[in-house]
Amino acid sequence: MSAPILFLSFAGSVSASGRLLSLGSIDLTIIVLYFIFVLGLGLYLKQFANTSQEFFMAGREMTAWVAGLSFISANLGSLEMMGYAAATAQYGIIVGHAYWIAAIPAILFLSLVMLPFYYICKTHSVPGYLRLRYGESARSLSAISFAVMTVLMSGINMYSMAVIMKVILGWNIHFSIWVSSLTVAIYVMSGGLLSAIFNEVLQFMLIWLGCLVIPIAGLIETGGWTGMVHRIAAAFPGQDFTHMWRSLGSSAANPMGVHWTGVVFGWGIAISFGYWTTDFLVVQRVMAAKDLRSAQMGTIIGGFVKLMVPLIVIVPGLLALAVLPFKLVPETMAGVAGAHTYNEVLPLMLARYCGPGLLGLGVTALIAGFMSGMAGNVSAFATVWTYDIYKPLIRKQATEEHYLKMGRWCALLGVVVSIGTAYLVMNFSSIIVYAQVIFGFFIVPMFGTVILGMLWKRTTPAAGFWGLLAGIVAAVALWLWVKMDPSALRFVAFSRDAKDMAENVYRAMWTLIVNVLVTVGVTLITKPKAEKELEGLVYGLTPMPSMGQVPFFKRPIVWGSALGLAFIVLNIIFW
Amino acid sequence: MKHMISIWFFIGCLLTIYGFLIFYAGIRTFFAAAAPTASLQQLHLPFWWGIAMIALGIVYLVHFRPRR
């Protein structure tokens, strides 16, 4: 699951004086080298992005490993990492559900059930699938909302990076915004999705190498996992920060204020399946694989990596509870002299364990994560704008060269709009909170619409549109209800104790329920499409391609089963 | 048809360069008289991390080097 349901706002920290980290010459050299390297990579890849297929879909030539790591990296941005490390320091290990139950089942479902349909119909995007299945109205609604959200999220990434660089390094905000945006514009315009994917794989390596120091050094300092757990128990008596399921029997028994039903149905199904199976930003990565088996295996490889991500995100958050000599405070208390907020957890832990050189690597990893987040959004925006808005609604008949040129200019346009968004956010910092909520409004209903269309041939075009719209309206209405009357939490989230994250997971659950009910209801009173029109799009009417003579140990179902088993075992271990 | 150099080769380049820089920083902290800037300084993490990155980088460089 991604950051959309998480609030990471450093707005309060901008005014805080001083910086968290101080870089030496070697650290700065490492950062400068990164910028030179990604620019050079983008310019090198330009020669391989000469057709629209190459620019928008990376030529559909990616291996399983590259597609899989890019797939997971698109979700491993700095906003997510810092946000979830902060949330762990606030709520404890239950935030780890974001990486396990809120990811693995959905990733398996995408790989084994949904990818064949996306792949066989040869669509360029998820809104493109909606057009084939439901028609123009459903496609336009999803494409326009997705395009708006991508540039908004890109701008938020840009702004967040600038603020974080100011808070932890003392850099000028405008300098960070312009340097990062120009770099992203040059390399996405040059190589399109190929550039974005290459940079995501590079970012993946940097993030792991830059952040793995923290859990290793931290667990050495605390005497291993058991030592860390004992320290946390001693520092926070009576509070359970170190069990994933044990405290979910009652919403009052855990710091997040969530019941297991919210984790399973809201987080594990509604948000997770919505994000992992229908958010084009991530799905686009595996659709760029060279064949269906590579796409499926890449998704499963991404799943195995996702299982391990808590090591560099959740463990640092827990270590902060165990080793920091002071208590962290919420963002609302950021102005208190000497106080550090939850959002500063990752930089604080970097500062604690990383000496010269390693600190530069850690900061470069964060910068790479932010820039990769921008590039991913911009490249997805370019694809959806060109294929799902410009081509069907503005200029239907044009040459492939024209659409390729449009894609390149769109990448630049996306960056320019993102810069505008970044400055807008700077003046209205609350947008960053609302934008992430808004992002969730559109992603969850998409899942109900897509999955009913894929698995139930009776689902009608009218139902696709109205179900999607009803889901979006329901999500907005529930959010507004709680905003205007906070006591409504007892209905929406079944508890007055529910914190922001708990409210989000329950709202997602209700949104999906409304979406499915309306889709089914409208389907029953409207006319379905002829079966002939649904071939290649719907289960039961689509012949699944044979794997051919693929050895047993190379089959997606085998590795998918292994991933499912590892997921169950880990949940039992950390129960 | 143009042959694209593997992404892993580029990653090998960057890891090797970074590895040497971090290794050099680690060497300097061995002989530094100044007060330590990070916890567990006695473990000399930059030194060992630099070596590990150089090794990993070289493996990628060799295995994914461009071939004719």
Side-chain angles (χ1 to χ4, degrees):
Chain A
M1 191 204 53
S2 78
I5 64 144
L6 193 67
F7 306 148
L8 177 63
S9 166
F10 273 78
S13 303
V14 183
S15 58
S17 59
R19 60 180 74 164
L20 289 177
L21 308 177
S22 182
L23 300 182
S25 57
I26 292 179
D27 302 311
L28 288 170
T29 306
I30 288 174
I31 294 171
V32 171
L33 271 176
Y34 168 75
F35 278 93
I36 295 172
F37 197 84
V38 293
L39 280 174
L41 200 55
L43 294 174
Y44 167 73
L45 292 172
K46 187 171 189 297
Q47 61 187 305
F48 301 103
N50 293 321
T51 66
S52 56
Q53 176 82 350
E54 288 169 347
F55 186 82
F56 294 114
M57 299 302 291
R60 282 199 155 152
E61 288 176 349
M62 295 297 111
T63 62
W65 274 96
V66 172
L69 295 185
S70 170
F71 167 72
I72 223 65
S73 291
N75 173 255
L76 193 60
S78 296
L79 209 57
E80 287 83 1
M81 286 186 58
M82 295 182 71
Y84 282 121
T88 305
Q90 194 168 5
Y91 303 126
I93 198 174
I94 55 174
V95 175
H97 287 302
Y99 292 92
W100 291 351
I101 193 167
I104 305 304
I107 286 173
L108 281 171
F109 191 75
L110 172 68
S111 171
L112 302 175
V113 178
M114 293 178 76
L115 261 182
F117 294 99
Y118 283 142
Y119 214 87
I120 290 166
C121 72
K122 292 285 175 198
T123 180
H124 286 89
S125 64
V126 175
Y129 175 81
L130 290 182
R131 182 188 73 83
L132 296 171
R133 180 63 183 85
Y134 294 120
E136 276 306 338
S137 51
R139 188 249 284 263
S140 299
L141 179 62
S142 68
I144 291 170
S145 58
F146 183 78
V148 171
M149 287 303 108
T150 47
V151 289
L152 198 57
M153 289 310 291
S154 172
I156 286 171
N157 260 285
M158 201 179 279
Y159 172 72
S160 304
M161 172 181 154
V163 172
I164 288 165
M165 289 302 127
K166 179 174 172 57
V167 171
I168 65 178
L169 297 173
W171 287 2
N172 179 283
I173 283 189
H174 305 287
F175 170 80
S176 294
I177 287 180
W178 285 97
V179 168
S180 62
S181 57
L182 280 175
T183 309
V184 168
I186 290 171
Y187 81 69
V188 177
M189 272 187 87
S190 302
L193 181 61
L194 198 56
S195 269
I197 287 179
F198 269 43
N199 274 286
E200 278 158 3
V201 178
L202 181 65
Q203 167 228 341
F204 174 84
M205 298 298 288
L206 290 176
I207 279 190
W208 272 92
L209 288 167
C211 297
L212 195 58
V213 178
I214 299 173
I216 291 175
L219 290 174
I220 291 173
E221 183 179 359
T222 56
W225 178 266
T226 311
M228 181 188 75
V229 170
H230 285 157
R231 283 195 189 203
I232 294 173
F236 301 90
Q239 288 180 273
D240 189 349
F241 280 100
T242 51
H243 291 100
M244 293 195 74
W245 291 98
R246 207 171 289 181
S247 61
L248 292 180
S250 157
S251 53
N254 59 80
M256 197 189 288
V258 67
H259 187 254
W260 69 266
T261 50
V263 170
V264 173
F265 299 112
W267 220 351
I269 294 178
I271 293 174
S272 165
F273 278 70
Y275 177 74
W276 288 103
T277 65
T278 60
D279 187 334
F280 181 56
L281 183 66
V282 288
V283 176
Q284 185 184 27
R285 272 74 193 136
V286 280
M287 282 166 70
K290 62 184 179 183
D291 53 42
L292 177 58
R293 195 186 71 82
S294 298
Q296 291 182 293
M297 286 302 292
T299 311
I300 291 167
I301 289 168
F304 276 108
V305 175
K306 189 77 182 170
L307 272 184
M308 296 188 290
V309 173
L311 186 62
I312 55 169
V313 178
I314 304 298
V315 174
L318 292 173
L319 284 166
L321 294 171
V323 301
L324 290 181
F326 46 82
K327 291 269 196 300
L328 297 163
V329 298
E331 200 61 34
T332 48
M333 294 172 65
V336 178
H340 288 286
T341 68
Y342 292 115
N343 287 339
E344 293 170 7
V345 160
L346 216 48
L348 281 170
M349 299 306 281
L350 276 176
R352 184 177 182 84
Y353 295 121
C354 296
L358 282 180
L359 199 53
L361 183 65
V363 172
T364 304
L366 291 180
I367 292 174
F370 279 116
M371 296 211 342
S372 171
M374 287 179 226
N377 277 291
V378 167
S379 65
F381 168 77
T383 307
V384 168
W385 168 267
T386 306
Y387 278 106
D388 297 308
I389 298 174
Y390 181 75
K391 193 173 178 180
L393 302 177
I394 299 172
R395 189 158 176 189
K396 289 183 179 164
Q397 302 294 332
T399 60
E400 278 300 293
E401 288 76 31
H402 176 82
Y403 292 126
L404 172 62
K405 200 177 284 182
M406 172 54 64
R408 287 197 201 278
W409 284 110
C410 252
L412 183 64
L413 176 71
V415 171
V416 171
V417 177
S418 302
I419 293 172
T421 309
Y423 279 98
L424 191 71
V425 173
M426 197 183 296
N427 291 309
F428 303 97
S429 58
S430 57
I431 290 176
I432 197 167
V433 174
Y434 297 133
Q436 291 169 342
V437 175
I438 293 167
F439 198 92
F441 292 164
F442 297 103
I443 288 301
V444 174
M446 275 274 276
F447 171 65
T449 303
V450 171
I451 198 64
L452 282 171
M454 255 179 202
L455 300 183
W456 190 30
K457 65 184 179 185
R458 176 76 175 78
T459 316
T460 65
F465 175 77
W466 289 108
L468 186 58
L469 189 63
I472 294 170
V473 170
V476 175
L478 286 170
W479 180 75
L480 279 175
W481 186 21
V482 174
K483 259 286 171 239
M484 291 188 292
D485 175 17
S487 68
L489 268 179
R490 68 185 187 279
F491 302 113
V492 175
F494 300 118
S495 165
R496 290 175 192 272
D497 304 319
K499 301 291 187 294
D500 289 339
M501 286 184 85
E503 181 199 342
N504 285 326
V505 298
Y506 278 107
R507 188 174 58 243
M509 184 181 82
W510 293 122
T511 301
L512 185 62
I513 289 171
V514 170
N515 167 251
V516 169
L517 288 178
V518 171
T519 307
V520 171
V522 176
T523 290
L524 296 176
I525 57 172
T526 49
K527 189 169 176 270
K529 273 183 159 182
E531 289 194 2
K532 195 168 172 20
E533 294 177 60
L534 299 176
E535 285 172 10
L537 299 169
V538 180
Y539 186 78
L541 299 174
T542 306
M544 288 294 128
S546 163
M547 283 280 159
Q549 296 297 317
V550 176
F552 175 73
F553 63 90
K554 287 188 175 179
R555 289 179 180 267
I557 186 70
V558 174
W559 288 102
S561 304
L563 176 60
L565 187 64
F567 161 72
I568 292 168
V569 169
L570 281 171
N571 272 285
I572 292 171
I573 291 173
F574 292 96
W575 188 270
Chain B
M1 189 178 162
K2 289 172 193 154
H3 174 72
M4 192 191 298
I5 300 172
S6 168
I7 173 64
W8 303 111
F9 178 77
F10 291 111
I11 287 173
C13 285
L14 197 65
L15 294 191
T16 309
I17 296 168
Y18 277 1
F20 275 112
L21 285 169
I22 293 168
F23 175 71
Y24 173 65
I27 293 273
R28 286 211 315 194
T29 56
F30 256 123
F31 303 104
T37 55
S39 296
L40 305 178
Q41 193 94 336
Q42 71 279 11
L43 295 179
H44 299 290
L45 281 170
F47 177 84
W48 298 112
W49 211 255
I51 290 177
M53 284 182 72
I54 292 169
L56 187 62
I58 289 175
V59 167
Y60 279 129
L61 278 178
V62 172
H63 191 72
F64 295 99
R65 69 187 180 280
R67 295 182 175 90
R68 280 177 181 276

